Amino acid sequence: MAKKYFIKTFGCQMNVYDSHRMAVMLENLGFVPTENQTEADLVLFNTCHIREKAAEKVFSDLGRAYLIKQERAEKGLDTIIGVAGCVVQAEDEEIAKRAPYVDFALGPLTYHRLPEMLAKISRKHGMTLIDTDFPAEAKFDFLPENRAEGGCSFLAVQEGCNNFCTYCVVPYTRGAEYSRPVAEVVAEAKRLLATGTLEINLLGQNVNSYHGEDESGRERNLAYLLRRIAELDGLKRLRYTTSYPADVDDDLIACHRDLQALMPYLHLPVQSGSDKILKAMNRRHDRKQYLNVIEKLQKANESLRFSSDFIVGFPGETDADFEQTLSLVNEVKYIQAFSFKYSRRPGTPAAVMPGQVEEKVKKERLDVLQKLLFDYQTKFNEDSVGKVFAVLFEQKGRHKGQLIGRTPYMQNLHAKADDNMLNKIVEVRVTGATTNSLSGEVL
Ligand code: SAH
Ligand code: SF4
Ligand code: F3S
């Protein structure tokens, strides 16, 4: 019988992409997927280190995996437990100490060595392996070909970050910026399109700092890459995420005017509306520059709408600073957003800054901010009622005969629809709206 694997993914879209590529590798080795952890011969956690809570979750999941491993052992079944991702990069010793039963651990830039790790383990069972030290370019060189999972695919074009925002672990866990060559990205896009993808979302921790080499060795920007991919046969929708506001150039703005496939929705994290806090965060933009970028984008494409990330309670944030964040939200009227309480990450500069904000204040501010953000999100969704959107159906709904998909604005929409509409783009009239989703009828 084929061995079964189970992967649980934490964190950002880059981790979702990485998990998919590890799944492809495992399937090439003869493993088959299972959603049921207790029947998995290989359990893999792809982890996130961005906030304390995210990192801690892994250890409770590992504890549970160990119990399952013991239960399976009583039935004579072997279980391999592996950990991948950003927690491994940051806390490999902690994992070895707190979860000594983990069979192998792979950093985010070394998971192409998964087959090698598995071979070693099966030769020498019981041995614990850790592998974190490798540059990003090697990772992409050694991965097997990617293929589509459905109508929407992520495609990593850039990895790592050189920005060093003072609160953030990403430059440490994912390393320095690296851009994949244009030809490699285009080839992967073609494979995704040939295997059923209609929508490609170009990924990078800092995607608009992309500067990969083209076929003639010339350095190219993200705008060039978007134009190249937009013209590929079969591509219906194009997105990119996540962008750094200071690196949005006029070329990229022009793409939003010129490229039909580029969706009218952009995630452009601002973090705070206060110049003082943006400076302390080491962001290379102030409030005015950010709003200027938004205005230019909006001019290039009227239908464009925005989402963002926010941090409340950064060290030194006063009520007046926080008010600035609220007023920025009122200016941009984001249609979606992620907001977080500042989390102190060991080793980052902000962790030892004076003026750490009390947990109670953080929580109050988060509640206020989220209420405002939800109001705008709800309003946008309610205003969608009666409109007709092209929806890409991505999965089956909870009820029979129902599919769930996304509008161009990334709104979740469910509608009565035939299974043969799965992974297709269909015109849908919106009939209802809540804060988090839309309902509609297929036309
Ligand atoms: N590269 C992206 C995303 C980075 S992580 C960017 O620059 O926007 C995703 C989000 O997590 C960040 O945008 C930020 O809002 C949040 N985040 C990162 N570090 C954090 C910390 N220490 N505490 C709270 N939120 C954090
Ligand atoms: Fe982290 Fe800042 Fe880099 Fe984003 S830009 S990954 S928040 S350091
Ligand atoms: Fe988390 Fe690593 Fe992504 S820390 S947010 S999984 S880059």
Side-chain angles (χ1 to χ4, degrees):
M1 253 217 337
K3 294 277 181 214
K4 292 184 176 157
Y5 74 90
F6 170 90
I7 301 184
K8 181 164 177 182
T9 308
F10 303 82
C12 64
Q13 289 148 322
M14 190 65 93
N15 261 14
V16 176
Y17 174 83
D18 287 348
S19 288
H20 173 58
R21 300 218 54 178
M22 288 192 276
V24 171
M25 289 173 101
L26 291 170
E27 285 168 30
N28 287 350
L29 293 173
F31 281 85
V32 296
T34 175
E35 311 241 303
N36 178 357
Q37 196 183 329
T38 57
E39 62 174 37
D41 305 285
L42 170 67
V43 176
L44 186 59
F45 298 104
N46 196 10
T47 62
C48 173
H49 202 245
I50 200 83
R51 285 168 293 274
E52 195 180 343
K53 255 202 205 139
E56 275 305 311
K57 256 193 235 152
V58 178
F59 288 102
S60 57
D61 274 60
L62 278 173
R64 196 141 28 87
Y66 185 47
L67 290 180
I68 295 173
K69 180 178 172 128
Q70 287 169 317
E71 279 165 23
R72 283 171 50 89
E74 279 165 24
K75 295 183 209 150
L77 298 168
D78 223 352
T79 315
I80 297 172
I81 301 178
V83 188
C86 294
V87 174
V88 177
Q89 195 65 42
E91 299 191 29
D92 51 350
E93 286 173 13
E94 189 78 4
I95 292 172
K97 212 167 67 198
R98 286 174 66 181
Y101 46 82
V102 165
D103 296 292
F104 70 92
L106 291 159
L109 303 179
T110 55
Y111 66 74
H112 57 282
R113 296 208 211 155
L114 184 58
E116 195 184 313
M117 281 285 209
L118 291 173
K120 271 191 207 158
I121 289 164
S122 51
R123 272 199 299 273
K124 214 180 190 182
H125 202 103
M127 172 177 160
T128 308
L129 297 164
I130 289 183
D131 190 356
T132 54
D133 193 20
F134 226 76
E137 63 249 50
K139 155 174 162 177
F140 292 110
D141 283 349
F142 291 105
L143 284 172
E145 286 193 354
N146 198 3
R147 58 172 179 258
E149 223 182 339
C152 289
S153 292
F154 290 133
L155 200 178
V157 304
Q158 180 276 338
E159 173 133 52
C161 182
N162 295 346
N163 282 326
F164 291 93
C165 301
T166 51
Y167 50 83
C168 184
V169 297
V170 172
Y172 311 98
T173 61
R174 293 275 173 168
E177 260 174 34
Y178 165 73
S179 299
R180 296 174 72 187
V182 171
E184 197 181 304
V185 173
V186 171
E188 187 170 329
K190 282 184 180 166
R191 277 197 302 273
L192 292 171
L193 293 167
T195 49
T197 277
L198 302 172
E199 172 177 314
I200 292 181
N201 193 339
L202 302 184
L203 290 187
Q205 260 88 26
N206 206 349
V207 71
N208 60 331
S209 73
Y210 178 85
H211 56 268
E213 277 183 11
D214 72 5
E215 290 81 347
S216 65
R218 186 168 157 200
E219 239 183 50
R220 297 293 196 165
N221 59 13
L222 181 66
Y224 173 85
L225 194 64
L226 287 169
R227 287 175 193 274
R228 283 285 296 273
I229 292 178
E231 68 190 22
L232 296 178
D233 275 346
L235 183 98
K236 297 283 191 278
R237 291 178 158 191
L238 188 55
R239 304 178 187 275
Y240 60 94
T241 198
T242 296
S243 301
Y244 190 77
D247 296 331
V248 177
D249 57 21
D250 289 343
D251 235 7
L252 188 57
I253 292 171
C255 288
H256 286 276
R257 183 193 62 209
D258 301 339
L259 301 181
Q260 260 240 304
L262 197 56
M263 290 291 100
Y265 170 89
L266 186 64
H267 185 56
L268 197 60
V270 67
Q271 314 300 350
S272 167
S274 151
D275 282 343
K276 182 189 98 190
I277 296 299
L278 287 170
K279 192 147 186 260
M281 287 176 163
N282 192 34
R283 300 283 293 184
R284 284 184 287 109
H285 60 86
D286 60 18
R287 177 194 177 98
K288 202 166 143 214
Q289 286 161 334
Y290 178 83
L291 286 171
N292 191 26
V293 169
I294 294 267
E295 195 187 313
K296 280 200 207 161
L297 282 161
Q298 196 72 85
K299 250 199 208 132
N301 183 345
E302 267 200 335
S303 59
L304 191 57
R305 295 292 178 274
F306 301 93
S307 72
S308 181
D309 292 344
F310 296 91
I311 296 176
V312 299
F314 186 82
E317 186 187 73
T318 61
D319 284 339
D321 294 316
F322 178 60
E323 288 294 327
Q324 292 280 301
T325 298
L326 298 178
S327 84
L328 185 94
V329 172
N330 285 325
E331 276 191 55
V332 182
K333 302 182 173 53
Y334 297 97
I335 65 165
Q336 271 154 54
F338 300 94
S339 45
F340 313 99
K341 290 183 283 185
Y342 167 69
S343 170
R344 240 169 141 164
R345 307 308 288 129
T348 59
V352 291
M353 281 182 186
Q356 297 288 329
V357 175
E358 252 183 279
E359 185 58 29
K360 185 172 148 273
V361 176
K362 283 187 204 171
K363 182 164 187 321
E364 281 166 11
R365 287 184 188 159
L366 187 66
D367 288 347
V368 172
L369 175 61
Q370 288 189 335
K371 181 170 182 311
L372 184 65
L373 290 168
F374 283 153
D375 282 350
Y376 281 114
Q377 184 173 325
T378 310
K379 171 135 197 339
F380 184 76
N381 285 350
E382 283 170 352
D383 287 349
S384 301
V385 175
K387 289 190 179 145
V388 175
F389 285 132
V391 172
L392 172 49
F393 284 118
E394 290 173 50
Q395 59 188 82
K396 291 186 182 176
R398 243 180 304 151
H399 306 291
K400 217 174 142 34
Q402 192 191 52
L403 295 179
I404 299 176
R406 274 191 230 247
T407 72
Y409 292 103
M410 285 290 229
Q411 297 151 294
N412 284 313
L413 181 144
H414 56 90
K416 253 202 231 154
D418 225 50
D419 278 4
N420 65 18
M421 290 180 187
L422 203 58
N423 297 324
K424 300 221 167 71
I425 295 174
V426 180
E427 299 265 287
V428 178
R429 185 187 312 280
V430 180
T431 52
T434 66
T435 303
N436 292 314
S437 73
L438 303 177
S439 50
E441 54 187 27
V442 172
L443 294 185

